[in-house]
Short mmCIF file of all heavy atoms in Angstrom, two decimals:
data_model
loop_
_atom_site.label_atom_id
_atom_site.label_comp_id
_atom_site.label_asym_id
_atom_site.label_seq_id
_atom_site.Cartn_x
_atom_site.Cartn_y
_atom_site.Cartn_z
N MET A 21 72.33 46.88 14.98
CA MET A 21 71.57 48.07 14.65
C MET A 21 72.36 48.91 13.65
O MET A 21 73.59 48.84 13.63
CB MET A 21 71.25 48.86 15.92
CG MET A 21 72.39 49.63 16.52
SD MET A 21 71.84 50.58 17.95
CE MET A 21 73.40 51.16 18.53
N PRO A 22 71.70 49.71 12.85
CA PRO A 22 72.41 50.54 11.88
C PRO A 22 73.19 51.67 12.55
O PRO A 22 72.85 52.11 13.64
CB PRO A 22 71.30 51.12 11.00
CG PRO A 22 70.03 50.53 11.45
CD PRO A 22 70.26 49.77 12.71
N LEU A 23 74.21 52.13 11.87
CA LEU A 23 75.07 53.20 12.38
C LEU A 23 74.27 54.48 12.64
O LEU A 23 74.64 55.27 13.50
CB LEU A 23 76.19 53.48 11.37
CG LEU A 23 77.25 54.49 11.76
CD1 LEU A 23 77.94 54.09 13.06
CD2 LEU A 23 78.26 54.67 10.66
N THR A 24 73.16 54.67 11.95
CA THR A 24 72.34 55.87 12.14
C THR A 24 71.82 56.00 13.56
O THR A 24 71.49 57.09 14.00
CB THR A 24 71.15 55.89 11.16
OG1 THR A 24 70.46 54.65 11.24
CG2 THR A 24 71.61 56.11 9.74
N PHE A 25 71.74 54.89 14.31
CA PHE A 25 71.24 54.91 15.69
C PHE A 25 72.36 55.00 16.73
O PHE A 25 72.08 54.97 17.93
CB PHE A 25 70.39 53.67 15.98
CG PHE A 25 69.11 53.63 15.20
CD1 PHE A 25 68.83 52.57 14.37
CD2 PHE A 25 68.19 54.66 15.28
CE1 PHE A 25 67.65 52.52 13.63
CE2 PHE A 25 67.01 54.64 14.55
CZ PHE A 25 66.74 53.57 13.72
N ALA A 26 73.61 55.10 16.31
CA ALA A 26 74.73 55.15 17.26
C ALA A 26 74.73 56.47 18.01
O ALA A 26 74.33 57.51 17.48
CB ALA A 26 76.05 54.97 16.51
N ASP A 27 75.18 56.44 19.25
CA ASP A 27 75.31 57.64 20.06
C ASP A 27 76.56 58.41 19.65
O ASP A 27 77.59 57.81 19.32
CB ASP A 27 75.40 57.29 21.55
CG ASP A 27 74.10 56.70 22.09
OD1 ASP A 27 73.03 57.10 21.60
OD2 ASP A 27 74.17 55.85 22.99
N ILE A 28 76.48 59.72 19.69
CA ILE A 28 77.62 60.56 19.32
C ILE A 28 78.73 60.38 20.36
O ILE A 28 78.49 60.40 21.56
CB ILE A 28 77.19 62.03 19.22
CG1 ILE A 28 76.25 62.19 18.03
CG2 ILE A 28 78.39 62.96 19.09
CD1 ILE A 28 75.61 63.54 17.90
N GLY A 29 79.95 60.16 19.86
CA GLY A 29 81.12 60.01 20.71
C GLY A 29 81.39 58.58 21.16
O GLY A 29 82.46 58.30 21.69
N GLU A 30 80.46 57.68 20.95
CA GLU A 30 80.63 56.29 21.39
C GLU A 30 81.33 55.48 20.30
O GLU A 30 80.95 55.55 19.13
CB GLU A 30 79.25 55.70 21.68
CG GLU A 30 79.28 54.29 22.22
CD GLU A 30 77.87 53.78 22.49
OE1 GLU A 30 77.15 54.43 23.26
OE2 GLU A 30 77.51 52.75 21.90
N GLU A 31 82.34 54.71 20.68
CA GLU A 31 83.04 53.88 19.71
C GLU A 31 82.29 52.57 19.52
O GLU A 31 81.86 51.95 20.49
CB GLU A 31 84.47 53.61 20.18
CG GLU A 31 85.36 53.09 19.08
CD GLU A 31 86.82 53.29 19.38
OE1 GLU A 31 87.31 54.42 19.24
OE2 GLU A 31 87.46 52.30 19.74
N ASN A 32 82.11 52.16 18.27
CA ASN A 32 81.36 50.95 17.95
C ASN A 32 82.17 50.06 17.02
O ASN A 32 83.00 50.55 16.26
CB ASN A 32 80.04 51.32 17.24
CG ASN A 32 79.14 52.15 18.12
OD1 ASN A 32 78.52 51.64 19.03
ND2 ASN A 32 79.07 53.44 17.85
N ILE A 33 81.88 48.77 17.08
CA ILE A 33 82.52 47.80 16.19
C ILE A 33 81.57 47.52 15.02
O ILE A 33 80.38 47.29 15.22
CB ILE A 33 82.79 46.46 16.93
CG1 ILE A 33 83.56 46.71 18.21
CG2 ILE A 33 83.48 45.47 16.01
CD1 ILE A 33 85.03 46.64 18.14
N ILE A 34 82.11 47.53 13.80
CA ILE A 34 81.30 47.24 12.62
C ILE A 34 81.09 45.73 12.54
O ILE A 34 82.05 44.97 12.47
CB ILE A 34 81.98 47.76 11.35
CG1 ILE A 34 82.16 49.27 11.43
CG2 ILE A 34 81.17 47.37 10.10
CD1 ILE A 34 83.03 49.86 10.34
N LYS A 35 79.82 45.31 12.56
CA LYS A 35 79.49 43.88 12.52
C LYS A 35 79.25 43.38 11.10
O LYS A 35 79.59 42.26 10.76
CB LYS A 35 78.25 43.61 13.36
CG LYS A 35 78.37 44.06 14.82
CD LYS A 35 78.16 42.91 15.75
CE LYS A 35 78.04 43.25 17.19
NZ LYS A 35 78.97 44.11 17.81
N LYS A 36 78.63 44.24 10.26
CA LYS A 36 78.25 43.82 8.92
C LYS A 36 78.04 45.04 8.05
O LYS A 36 77.63 46.09 8.53
CB LYS A 36 76.96 43.00 9.00
CG LYS A 36 76.45 42.47 7.70
CD LYS A 36 75.12 41.76 7.91
CE LYS A 36 74.38 41.70 6.60
NZ LYS A 36 73.00 41.36 6.74
N ILE A 37 78.33 44.88 6.76
CA ILE A 37 78.07 45.94 5.80
C ILE A 37 77.13 45.37 4.74
O ILE A 37 77.44 44.35 4.12
CB ILE A 37 79.36 46.47 5.15
CG1 ILE A 37 80.22 47.09 6.24
CG2 ILE A 37 79.05 47.47 4.05
CD1 ILE A 37 81.56 47.57 5.80
N GLY A 38 75.96 45.99 4.59
CA GLY A 38 74.97 45.51 3.66
C GLY A 38 74.98 46.30 2.36
O GLY A 38 75.82 47.16 2.14
N GLY A 39 74.02 45.98 1.50
CA GLY A 39 73.88 46.70 0.24
C GLY A 39 74.42 45.92 -0.93
O GLY A 39 74.89 44.79 -0.81
N LYS A 40 74.36 46.55 -2.10
CA LYS A 40 74.85 45.95 -3.34
C LYS A 40 76.37 45.84 -3.28
O LYS A 40 77.02 46.59 -2.55
CB LYS A 40 74.43 46.80 -4.52
CG LYS A 40 72.93 46.87 -4.70
CD LYS A 40 72.59 47.75 -5.89
CE LYS A 40 71.09 47.82 -6.06
NZ LYS A 40 70.70 48.73 -7.13
N PRO A 41 76.95 44.94 -4.08
CA PRO A 41 78.42 44.78 -4.06
C PRO A 41 79.19 46.08 -4.30
O PRO A 41 80.19 46.32 -3.64
CB PRO A 41 78.68 43.77 -5.19
CG PRO A 41 77.41 42.99 -5.30
CD PRO A 41 76.31 43.95 -4.94
N GLU A 42 78.68 46.94 -5.19
CA GLU A 42 79.42 48.18 -5.45
C GLU A 42 79.34 49.13 -4.26
O GLU A 42 80.29 49.87 -3.99
CB GLU A 42 78.94 48.87 -6.74
CG GLU A 42 77.47 49.17 -6.81
CD GLU A 42 76.63 48.07 -7.44
OE1 GLU A 42 77.10 46.92 -7.59
OE2 GLU A 42 75.46 48.35 -7.76
N VAL A 43 78.23 49.09 -3.52
CA VAL A 43 78.10 49.93 -2.31
C VAL A 43 79.05 49.41 -1.24
O VAL A 43 79.75 50.19 -0.59
CB VAL A 43 76.64 49.93 -1.80
CG1 VAL A 43 76.53 50.64 -0.46
CG2 VAL A 43 75.72 50.60 -2.82
N LYS A 44 79.08 48.09 -1.05
CA LYS A 44 80.00 47.50 -0.07
C LYS A 44 81.44 47.87 -0.39
O LYS A 44 82.21 48.24 0.50
CB LYS A 44 79.87 45.97 -0.07
CG LYS A 44 78.62 45.44 0.57
CD LYS A 44 78.67 43.93 0.54
CE LYS A 44 77.46 43.32 1.18
NZ LYS A 44 77.50 41.86 1.15
N GLN A 45 81.81 47.78 -1.66
CA GLN A 45 83.18 48.09 -2.08
C GLN A 45 83.51 49.55 -1.81
O GLN A 45 84.58 49.87 -1.31
CB GLN A 45 83.36 47.77 -3.57
CG GLN A 45 84.79 47.92 -4.05
CD GLN A 45 85.75 46.98 -3.36
OE1 GLN A 45 85.50 45.78 -3.28
NE2 GLN A 45 86.83 47.50 -2.84
N HIS A 46 82.57 50.43 -2.10
CA HIS A 46 82.79 51.87 -1.85
C HIS A 46 83.02 52.13 -0.36
O HIS A 46 83.94 52.86 0.01
CB HIS A 46 81.60 52.68 -2.37
CG HIS A 46 81.70 54.13 -2.11
ND1 HIS A 46 82.65 54.93 -2.70
CD2 HIS A 46 80.99 54.96 -1.29
CE1 HIS A 46 82.52 56.17 -2.26
NE2 HIS A 46 81.51 56.21 -1.40
N LEU A 47 82.19 51.53 0.48
CA LEU A 47 82.34 51.72 1.93
C LEU A 47 83.65 51.13 2.43
O LEU A 47 84.32 51.72 3.28
CB LEU A 47 81.15 51.11 2.67
CG LEU A 47 79.83 51.89 2.52
CD1 LEU A 47 78.67 51.08 3.09
CD2 LEU A 47 79.91 53.23 3.20
N GLU A 48 84.06 49.97 1.88
CA GLU A 48 85.35 49.37 2.27
C GLU A 48 86.49 50.28 1.85
O GLU A 48 87.46 50.43 2.59
CB GLU A 48 85.50 47.98 1.65
CG GLU A 48 84.66 46.94 2.36
CD GLU A 48 84.78 45.55 1.75
OE1 GLU A 48 85.70 45.32 0.93
OE2 GLU A 48 83.95 44.70 2.09
N ASN A 49 86.38 50.90 0.69
CA ASN A 49 87.43 51.83 0.24
C ASN A 49 87.55 53.04 1.15
O ASN A 49 88.63 53.61 1.30
CB ASN A 49 87.16 52.29 -1.20
CG ASN A 49 87.37 51.19 -2.22
OD1 ASN A 49 88.01 50.18 -1.94
ND2 ASN A 49 86.80 51.37 -3.39
N LEU A 50 86.44 53.43 1.77
CA LEU A 50 86.46 54.54 2.72
C LEU A 50 87.00 54.12 4.09
O LEU A 50 87.27 54.97 4.94
CB LEU A 50 85.04 55.11 2.90
CG LEU A 50 84.47 55.88 1.72
CD1 LEU A 50 83.01 56.24 1.98
CD2 LEU A 50 85.28 57.13 1.42
N GLY A 51 87.14 52.81 4.33
CA GLY A 51 87.67 52.33 5.60
C GLY A 51 86.69 51.58 6.47
O GLY A 51 87.03 51.15 7.56
N PHE A 52 85.44 51.44 6.00
CA PHE A 52 84.42 50.72 6.77
C PHE A 52 84.55 49.23 6.49
O PHE A 52 84.07 48.74 5.46
CB PHE A 52 83.01 51.20 6.40
CG PHE A 52 82.77 52.64 6.74
CD1 PHE A 52 82.94 53.63 5.79
CD2 PHE A 52 82.37 53.01 8.02
CE1 PHE A 52 82.71 54.97 6.10
CE2 PHE A 52 82.15 54.33 8.35
CZ PHE A 52 82.32 55.31 7.38
N VAL A 53 85.22 48.50 7.37
CA VAL A 53 85.41 47.06 7.20
C VAL A 53 84.86 46.33 8.42
O VAL A 53 84.89 46.85 9.54
CB VAL A 53 86.89 46.68 6.97
CG1 VAL A 53 87.38 47.20 5.62
CG2 VAL A 53 87.77 47.22 8.07
N THR A 54 84.38 45.11 8.21
CA THR A 54 83.85 44.30 9.30
C THR A 54 84.94 44.09 10.35
O THR A 54 86.07 43.75 10.01
CB THR A 54 83.36 42.95 8.75
OG1 THR A 54 82.41 43.20 7.72
CG2 THR A 54 82.72 42.11 9.84
N GLY A 55 84.60 44.34 11.60
CA GLY A 55 85.55 44.20 12.70
C GLY A 55 86.26 45.50 13.04
O GLY A 55 86.91 45.60 14.07
N GLY A 56 86.15 46.50 12.17
CA GLY A 56 86.78 47.79 12.41
C GLY A 56 85.96 48.63 13.38
O GLY A 56 84.81 48.32 13.68
N THR A 57 86.55 49.70 13.87
CA THR A 57 85.83 50.58 14.79
C THR A 57 85.40 51.85 14.07
O THR A 57 86.06 52.30 13.12
CB THR A 57 86.70 50.95 16.01
OG1 THR A 57 87.87 51.61 15.55
CG2 THR A 57 87.07 49.73 16.81
N VAL A 58 84.30 52.39 14.54
CA VAL A 58 83.76 53.63 13.98
C VAL A 58 83.15 54.43 15.13
O VAL A 58 82.57 53.87 16.04
CB VAL A 58 82.72 53.33 12.86
CG1 VAL A 58 81.54 52.56 13.40
CG2 VAL A 58 82.26 54.60 12.19
N ARG A 59 83.35 55.77 15.08
CA ARG A 59 82.80 56.64 16.11
C ARG A 59 82.11 57.81 15.43
O ARG A 59 82.70 58.47 14.58
CB ARG A 59 83.92 57.14 17.03
CG ARG A 59 83.41 57.97 18.18
CD ARG A 59 84.46 58.17 19.27
NE ARG A 59 85.79 58.44 18.77
CZ ARG A 59 86.27 59.67 18.57
NH1 ARG A 59 85.53 60.73 18.82
NH2 ARG A 59 87.49 59.85 18.14
N VAL A 60 80.87 58.06 15.81
CA VAL A 60 80.11 59.18 15.24
C VAL A 60 80.58 60.47 15.90
O VAL A 60 80.58 60.60 17.12
CB VAL A 60 78.59 58.98 15.46
CG1 VAL A 60 77.82 60.18 14.94
CG2 VAL A 60 78.11 57.70 14.79
N VAL A 61 81.00 61.44 15.08
CA VAL A 61 81.45 62.74 15.56
C VAL A 61 80.26 63.69 15.65
O VAL A 61 80.08 64.39 16.64
CB VAL A 61 82.54 63.32 14.64
CG1 VAL A 61 82.95 64.71 15.09
CG2 VAL A 61 83.75 62.40 14.60
N SER A 62 79.44 63.73 14.60
CA SER A 62 78.24 64.56 14.63
C SER A 62 77.20 64.02 13.66
O SER A 62 77.53 63.28 12.73
CB SER A 62 78.56 66.02 14.31
OG SER A 62 78.92 66.16 12.96
N ALA A 63 75.95 64.40 13.90
CA ALA A 63 74.84 63.99 13.05
C ALA A 63 73.98 65.21 12.77
O ALA A 63 73.54 65.89 13.68
CB ALA A 63 74.02 62.92 13.75
N ILE A 64 73.77 65.48 11.48
CA ILE A 64 72.95 66.62 11.07
C ILE A 64 71.93 66.12 10.05
O ILE A 64 72.30 65.72 8.95
CB ILE A 64 73.81 67.74 10.44
CG1 ILE A 64 74.88 68.18 11.44
CG2 ILE A 64 72.94 68.90 10.00
CD1 ILE A 64 76.03 68.91 10.83
N GLY A 65 70.67 66.11 10.44
CA GLY A 65 69.61 65.68 9.52
C GLY A 65 69.75 64.24 9.07
O GLY A 65 69.36 63.91 7.95
N GLY A 66 70.35 63.39 9.90
CA GLY A 66 70.53 61.99 9.53
C GLY A 66 71.85 61.72 8.84
O GLY A 66 72.29 60.58 8.76
N ASN A 67 72.49 62.75 8.32
CA ASN A 67 73.81 62.59 7.72
C ASN A 67 74.86 62.61 8.83
O ASN A 67 74.71 63.34 9.80
CB ASN A 67 74.08 63.71 6.71
CG ASN A 67 73.06 63.70 5.59
OD1 ASN A 67 72.67 62.65 5.10
ND2 ASN A 67 72.62 64.88 5.20
N LEU A 68 75.89 61.79 8.68
CA LEU A 68 76.85 61.60 9.77
C LEU A 68 78.26 62.00 9.37
O LEU A 68 78.66 61.83 8.23
CB LEU A 68 76.88 60.12 10.19
CG LEU A 68 75.57 59.48 10.62
CD1 LEU A 68 75.80 58.00 10.89
CD2 LEU A 68 75.02 60.16 11.86
N ILE A 69 78.99 62.49 10.35
CA ILE A 69 80.44 62.63 10.23
C ILE A 69 81.01 61.63 11.24
O ILE A 69 80.64 61.66 12.42
CB ILE A 69 80.91 64.06 10.54
CG1 ILE A 69 80.33 65.03 9.51
CG2 ILE A 69 82.44 64.12 10.55
CD1 ILE A 69 80.62 66.48 9.80
N VAL A 70 81.86 60.74 10.76
CA VAL A 70 82.38 59.66 11.61
C VAL A 70 83.90 59.61 11.54
O VAL A 70 84.50 60.04 10.57
CB VAL A 70 81.79 58.29 11.21
CG1 VAL A 70 80.28 58.27 11.36
CG2 VAL A 70 82.16 57.91 9.79
N ASN A 71 84.49 59.08 12.61
CA ASN A 71 85.91 58.76 12.62
C ASN A 71 86.05 57.28 12.31
O ASN A 71 85.45 56.45 12.99
CB ASN A 71 86.53 59.03 13.99
CG ASN A 71 87.02 60.44 14.14
OD1 ASN A 71 87.07 61.20 13.20
ND2 ASN A 71 87.39 60.78 15.37
N VAL A 72 86.80 56.97 11.28
CA VAL A 72 87.07 55.58 10.93
C VAL A 72 88.52 55.51 10.44
O VAL A 72 88.94 56.31 9.61
CB VAL A 72 86.07 55.04 9.88
CG1 VAL A 72 86.14 55.79 8.58
CG2 VAL A 72 86.25 53.56 9.65
N LYS A 73 89.30 54.61 11.03
CA LYS A 73 90.72 54.44 10.67
C LYS A 73 91.48 55.77 10.66
O LYS A 73 92.10 56.14 9.69
CB LYS A 73 90.84 53.76 9.30
CG LYS A 73 90.41 52.33 9.32
CD LYS A 73 90.95 51.57 8.15
CE LYS A 73 90.61 50.10 8.31
NZ LYS A 73 91.23 49.30 7.31
N GLU A 74 91.40 56.50 11.76
CA GLU A 74 92.14 57.76 11.94
C GLU A 74 91.73 58.86 10.96
O GLU A 74 92.44 59.85 10.81
CB GLU A 74 93.66 57.52 11.81
CG GLU A 74 94.21 56.41 12.66
CD GLU A 74 94.12 56.69 14.16
OE1 GLU A 74 94.32 57.84 14.55
OE2 GLU A 74 93.84 55.76 14.91
N SER A 75 90.60 58.70 10.27
CA SER A 75 90.13 59.72 9.32
C SER A 75 88.70 60.11 9.64
O SER A 75 87.94 59.30 10.17
CB SER A 75 90.18 59.18 7.90
OG SER A 75 91.48 58.81 7.55
N ARG A 76 88.33 61.32 9.26
CA ARG A 76 86.94 61.75 9.37
C ARG A 76 86.29 61.61 8.02
O ARG A 76 86.84 62.06 7.01
CB ARG A 76 86.85 63.20 9.82
CG ARG A 76 87.01 63.33 11.30
CD ARG A 76 86.58 64.68 11.77
NE ARG A 76 86.72 64.69 13.22
CZ ARG A 76 86.42 65.70 13.97
NH1 ARG A 76 85.96 66.81 13.43
NH2 ARG A 76 86.56 65.64 15.26
N VAL A 77 85.13 60.98 8.00
CA VAL A 77 84.41 60.74 6.75
C VAL A 77 82.97 61.19 6.94
O VAL A 77 82.36 60.91 7.98
CB VAL A 77 84.44 59.23 6.38
CG1 VAL A 77 83.70 58.97 5.09
CG2 VAL A 77 85.86 58.72 6.30
N ALA A 78 82.43 61.88 5.94
CA ALA A 78 81.02 62.27 5.96
C ALA A 78 80.24 61.29 5.09
O ALA A 78 80.64 61.01 3.95
CB ALA A 78 80.85 63.69 5.43
N ILE A 79 79.17 60.72 5.63
CA ILE A 79 78.33 59.80 4.85
C ILE A 79 76.87 60.19 5.04
O ILE A 79 76.49 60.71 6.08
CB ILE A 79 78.56 58.32 5.24
CG1 ILE A 79 78.36 58.09 6.73
CG2 ILE A 79 79.91 57.84 4.79
CD1 ILE A 79 78.42 56.64 7.13
N ASN A 80 76.08 59.92 4.01
CA ASN A 80 74.66 60.27 4.10
C ASN A 80 73.89 59.19 4.86
O ASN A 80 74.42 58.12 5.16
CB ASN A 80 74.07 60.53 2.71
CG ASN A 80 74.06 59.31 1.82
OD1 ASN A 80 74.16 58.18 2.28
ND2 ASN A 80 73.93 59.55 0.53
N LYS A 81 72.65 59.49 5.15
CA LYS A 81 71.81 58.59 5.95
C LYS A 81 71.64 57.23 5.29
O LYS A 81 71.66 56.21 5.95
CB LYS A 81 70.44 59.26 6.15
CG LYS A 81 69.55 58.59 7.12
CD LYS A 81 68.28 59.41 7.31
CE LYS A 81 67.43 58.83 8.40
NZ LYS A 81 66.25 59.65 8.66
N GLU A 82 71.50 57.22 3.96
CA GLU A 82 71.31 55.98 3.22
C GLU A 82 72.51 55.04 3.38
O GLU A 82 72.37 53.85 3.63
CB GLU A 82 71.08 56.29 1.74
CG GLU A 82 70.74 55.08 0.91
CD GLU A 82 70.56 55.43 -0.56
OE1 GLU A 82 70.31 56.60 -0.89
OE2 GLU A 82 70.68 54.50 -1.37
N MET A 83 73.73 55.60 3.23
CA MET A 83 74.95 54.79 3.39
C MET A 83 75.10 54.33 4.84
O MET A 83 75.45 53.19 5.09
CB MET A 83 76.18 55.60 3.00
CG MET A 83 76.30 55.83 1.54
SD MET A 83 76.79 54.35 0.69
CE MET A 83 77.22 55.02 -0.87
N ALA A 84 74.84 55.22 5.78
CA ALA A 84 74.98 54.89 7.20
C ALA A 84 74.04 53.76 7.61
O ALA A 84 74.36 52.94 8.47
CB ALA A 84 74.75 56.12 8.06
N SER A 85 72.88 53.70 6.99
CA SER A 85 71.91 52.65 7.34
C SER A 85 72.36 51.26 6.87
O SER A 85 71.84 50.26 7.33
CB SER A 85 70.53 52.98 6.76
OG SER A 85 70.56 52.91 5.36
N LYS A 86 73.34 51.20 5.98
CA LYS A 86 73.85 49.92 5.48
C LYS A 86 74.99 49.37 6.35
O LYS A 86 75.41 48.25 6.21
CB LYS A 86 74.32 50.05 4.05
CG LYS A 86 73.19 50.42 3.11
CD LYS A 86 73.57 50.33 1.69
CE LYS A 86 72.53 50.77 0.70
NZ LYS A 86 71.17 50.61 1.04
N ILE A 87 75.49 50.21 7.29
CA ILE A 87 76.57 49.80 8.17
C ILE A 87 75.96 49.36 9.50
O ILE A 87 75.37 50.17 10.20
CB ILE A 87 77.57 50.96 8.39
CG1 ILE A 87 78.15 51.40 7.04
CG2 ILE A 87 78.68 50.53 9.35
CD1 ILE A 87 78.90 52.70 7.10
N MET A 88 76.11 48.08 9.82
CA MET A 88 75.54 47.53 11.05
C MET A 88 76.61 47.46 12.13
O MET A 88 77.72 47.02 11.88
CB MET A 88 74.98 46.12 10.82
CG MET A 88 73.84 46.07 9.84
SD MET A 88 72.43 46.95 10.44
CE MET A 88 71.52 47.20 8.94
N ILE A 89 76.21 47.92 13.34
CA ILE A 89 77.15 47.90 14.47
C ILE A 89 76.60 47.01 15.58
O ILE A 89 75.43 46.69 15.61
CB ILE A 89 77.42 49.31 15.01
CG1 ILE A 89 76.12 50.02 15.36
CG2 ILE A 89 78.22 50.10 14.00
CD1 ILE A 89 76.29 51.34 16.05
#
């Protein structure tokens, strides 16, 4: 399921990252890699703040929908 459906505070494993190659590369540069963990801190209007690799990252709904957990 996409990251947009994750429960707040629950740790999830990233199974797949979709999208165009440049989108995948951008997400990997932010720390979203297959097999890594991600936890949603808050969600406002579909946009998410997540913890990934000891960092907090804000991503929009479109990007979050490309990250499968």
